[in-house]
Amino acid sequence: LYFSAQEGILFFYHIKGLQYEMKICADILQPISSLTFSPDYTVLLLVTDQGTVYTYKPAHSGEAVKLLDACSSCFLTADFLTPGDKYCVSVTISGEVQVWFLEDGTCLSKLNLDIEVHIT
């Protein structure tokens, strides 16, 4: 079980029967607004309240890596484009939808919806 705290810390709970063990996986120093696993569960996308997107690879137990930084408009959320875990799609408050290459954060495509977006 992965979850985040208001302080920007990503936690992992290993639960087995009535026993559990908690581990701090990453501290990104910004509140995390959403967590999304890739379809094969190898990569976790973390989106912060400030609109920055990080990747975290549970199998590597390393730090979260900043992938995308909010520029003119904050990222509201991001998700993987399936199949696979090489690309993600994001949407900003201003209504810009973007497709990203996860390996290096290259923006491959963008579309402006010309409306303000809200996540409910």
Side-chain angles (χ1 to χ4, degrees), residues 38-40 79-85 87:
S38 62
D40 61 2
D79 201 350
F80 291 89
L81 287 177
T82 57
D85 59 3
Y87 306 97

Side-chain angles (χ1 to χ4, degrees), residues 40-85:
D40 61 2
Y41 296 98
T42 59
V43 182
L44 185 62
L45 287 180
L46 313 169
V47 181
T48 70
D49 286 351
Q50 286 77 31
T52 306
V53 179
Y54 291 82
T55 58
Y56 177 77
K57 295 182 179 180
H60 296 99
S61 297
E63 283 296 310
V65 176
K66 186 186 292 185
L67 177 65
L68 311 171
D69 208 351
C71 300
S72 59
S73 183
C74 286
F75 295 110
L76 286 176
T77 191
D79 201 350
F80 291 89
L81 287 177
T82 57
D85 59 3

Side-chain angles (χ1 to χ4, degrees), residues 20-32:
Y20 70 91
E21 179 182 343
M22 184 185 78
K23 175 185 170 189
I24 295 176
C25 299
D27 185 355
I28 59 173
L29 305 174
Q30 297 177 21
I32 299 168

